[in-house]
Amino acid sequence: VRLVESGGGLVQAGGSLRLSCAASGIAIRFATMGWYRRAPGKERELVATVTSIGYTNYSNSAAGRFTISADSVKNTVYLQMNSLRPEDTAVYYCHAQPEQYSSVKSAHWGQGTQVTVSS
């Protein structure tokens, strides 16, 4: 299983970024996919998740500003981030948690992509 994130970078406060997570070795239609982040000096925290049937969940910080989506044809998960704030600065990680019908039996993490929001 491989999860490859992309789309991170430097953006000014109020700007937008779209992160992508390209999955291989696991069908995302049989997984709960998530985005997590780790800010400097802090523990990794949940940003958003989407289940195989499209249920989404957001952290309080992400709700209303970020949107998670999944394209099962491209086997890719996205995180659209709008109205970015300096406190959103972090390394963002993609996560795959296999569900009942997945042939994959353990969770996996991507390597992360850096998002830096300047004030």
Side-chain angles (χ1 to χ4, degrees), residues 16-96:
S16 299
L17 283 175
R18 188 175 83 153
L19 305 183
S20 299
C21 171
S24 58
I26 184 171
I28 66 170
R29 66 183 183 275
F30 297 134
T32 292
M33 301 299 297
W35 287 97
Y36 292 74
R37 69 187 184 187
R38 178 179 286 149
K42 296 186 177 180
E43 294 188 356
R44 187 154 50 190
E45 63 177 4
L46 168 74
V47 176
T49 59
V50 57
T51 71
S52 62
I53 57 173
Y55 289 141
T56 57
N57 179 54
Y58 295 92
S59 67
N60 289 338
S61 175
R65 299 188 299 129
F66 295 1
T67 302
I68 189 170
S69 61
D71 184 332
S72 60
V73 174
K74 294 183 178 179
N75 216 37
T76 298
V77 180
Y78 304 96
L79 185 69
Q80 177 68 43
M81 304 187 294
N82 299 326
S83 301
L84 283 161
R85 305 164 180 166
E87 53 265 39
D88 294 318
T89 294
V91 178
Y92 284 70
Y93 297 90
C94 181
H95 181 261

Side-chain angles (χ1 to χ4, degrees), residues 91-114:
V91 178
Y92 284 70
Y93 297 90
C94 181
H95 181 261
Q97 178 63 58
E99 294 182 5
Q100 180 179 1
Y101 298 109
S102 177
S103 61
V104 177
K105 301 305 179 185
S106 62
H108 293 269
W109 291 95
Q111 82 288 350
T113 185
Q114 176 71 45

